[in-house]
Amino acid sequence: MIDTHSHINFEEYRENFENFLNDIKINEVEKVIIPGVEPSSFEDILNLCEKYEMLYAAVGVHPSEFETFNEAVQKNIYELCKHKKVVAIGEIGLDYHYGADTKEQQKKLLRKQLEIAQTVQLPVIIHDREAHEDCFNILEDYNLKDVIFHCFSGNAEFAKKCINRGYYIAIGGVVTFKNANDLKASTKIIPPEKLLLETDAPYLTPVPYRGKLNTPAYLKFIAQEISNIKETDIEIIKKITTENAKRIFKF
């Protein structure tokens, strides 16, 4: 399997990091994409990706970090996109849950980073929290290679809208939660060829480890729940989502 979104550059994972990666491999995860959040994290992420073959990077500024973006950062992102281990622009997007009073600044940042993605022809990893329509409408203004809605939080109707536009939907640990009715309904209707797996570690740990530190090693629980919802074999979900990731990120 491929974990398409995992913040394993965070400090929580640094002790015995090589053992940590070995545990991930034992649990059938062959590659992990580490997304950028703020400019200060880029160098650290790239250093990890250069050191470990199974790790890959995305570069981007999270909407909550809009104040860290400037012309120098923009130029740096363009340069980093030339790196062989950078496979996407992300995570970028809109977050109205915590940033409802900064909508215009977030939209401006999103547009600037979508322009980068359009120029360098890399996929984009979209953070969309309580901003579905604005995210979708802004994306419509760009001719983008591939769009991934990370940690999908919309309902089935919005999922259909994204699918019809050709976007991919990444499902994380929330799908294993008992009360995640909207996400379960969305997952049921998403065609397998538009599905990706992710953990968003260290956040959103799936059942049966909910409440503990998340890890890509738990990706199998997400794949199992998706297979249960879709009433298919877990090996089919593993195979198709891996093929999707390899196609999008050119592994």
Side-chain angles (χ1 to χ4, degrees), residues 8 13 15 18 23 31-32 35 70 90 142 190 202 235 239:
I8 58 172
Y13 302 105
E15 189 175 354
E18 293 192 3
D23 183 60
K31 291 178 175 63
V32 179
N70 53 39
Y142 297 86
I190 299 167
E235 296 304 321
K239 182 175 184 292

Side-chain angles (χ1 to χ4, degrees), residues 138-241:
I138 290 172
L139 284 164
E140 289 290 273
D141 293 338
Y142 297 86
N143 180 27
L144 296 167
K145 184 172 176 55
D146 287 302
V147 174
I148 300 104
F149 271 80
H150 138 70
C151 199
F152 188 77
S153 59
N155 58 23
E157 183 179 352
F158 186 63
K160 286 180 185 177
K161 190 173 181 179
C162 292
I163 293 159
N164 289 340
R165 189 63 181 85
Y167 299 156
Y168 293 86
I169 296 177
I171 303 295
V174 174
V175 76
T176 68
F177 299 175
K178 285 184 179 180
N179 61 349
N181 297 322
D182 279 349
L183 183 55
K184 291 178 190 292
S186 297
T187 300
K188 193 170 185 64
I189 64 154
I190 299 167
E193 63 271 17
K194 289 298 176 184
L195 268 177
L196 293 168
L197 301 178
E198 65 164 74
T199 57
D200 200 21
Y203 314 110
L204 305 174
T205 310
V207 175
Y209 294 104
R210 187 178 182 182
K212 297 182 179 180
L213 183 70
N214 202 359
T215 164
Y218 296 159
L219 201 61
K220 60 188 177 183
F221 299 112
I222 297 165
Q224 183 64 65
E225 182 62 22
I226 292 171
S227 71
N228 293 345
I229 291 168
K230 290 188 152 308
E231 299 178 343
T232 190
D233 190 275
I234 186 173
E235 296 304 321
I236 293 173
I237 296 301
K238 289 178 183 178
K239 182 175 184 292
I240 293 176
T241 55

Side-chain angles (χ1 to χ4, degrees), residues 36-198:
V37 176
E38 56 186 352
S40 62
S41 68
F42 295 165
E43 183 178 1
D44 185 42
I45 291 172
L46 263 295
N47 286 341
L48 283 176
C49 293
E50 287 172 353
K51 187 173 181 180
Y52 300 103
E53 186 179 354
M54 71 181 296
L55 304 182
Y56 291 80
V59 288
V61 178
H62 189 281
S64 66
E65 304 297 327
F66 67 89
E67 291 179 332
T68 67
F69 189 88
N70 53 39
E71 287 186 11
V73 170
Q74 184 175 21
K75 184 178 179 180
N76 188 34
I77 292 174
Y78 271 113
E79 287 301 310
L80 291 175
C81 289
K82 299 174 184 177
H83 194 290
K84 65 180 180 179
K85 279 299 196 83
V86 172
V87 296
I89 302 295
E91 63 184 284
I92 65 175
L94 302 173
D95 192 321
Y96 293 170
H97 183 77
Y98 291 113
D101 56 341
T102 60
K103 288 182 180 180
E104 293 311 310
Q105 294 99 316
Q106 291 186 45
K107 288 178 186 178
K108 183 178 179 180
L109 171 61
L110 176 56
R111 287 187 177 277
K112 283 184 177 295
Q113 295 186 97
L114 291 175
E115 287 169 9
I116 297 172
Q118 187 170 255
T119 301
V120 301
Q121 285 293 289
L122 283 178
V124 293
I125 298 171
I126 297 294
H127 174 103
D128 163 31
R129 191 169 188 189
E130 298 176 18
H132 307 319
E133 293 306 314
D134 280 355
C135 270
F136 190 92
N137 291 338
I138 290 172
L139 284 164
E140 289 290 273
D141 293 338
Y142 297 86
N143 180 27
L144 296 167
K145 184 172 176 55
D146 287 302
V147 174
I148 300 104
F149 271 80
H150 138 70
C151 199
F152 188 77
S153 59
N155 58 23
E157 183 179 352
F158 186 63
K160 286 180 185 177
K161 190 173 181 179
C162 292
I163 293 159
N164 289 340
R165 189 63 181 85
Y167 299 156
Y168 293 86
I169 296 177
I171 303 295
V174 174
V175 76
T176 68
F177 299 175
K178 285 184 179 180
N179 61 349
N181 297 322
D182 279 349
L183 183 55
K184 291 178 190 292
S186 297
T187 300
K188 193 170 185 64
I189 64 154
I190 299 167
E193 63 271 17
K194 289 298 176 184
L195 268 177
L196 293 168
L197 301 178
E198 65 164 74

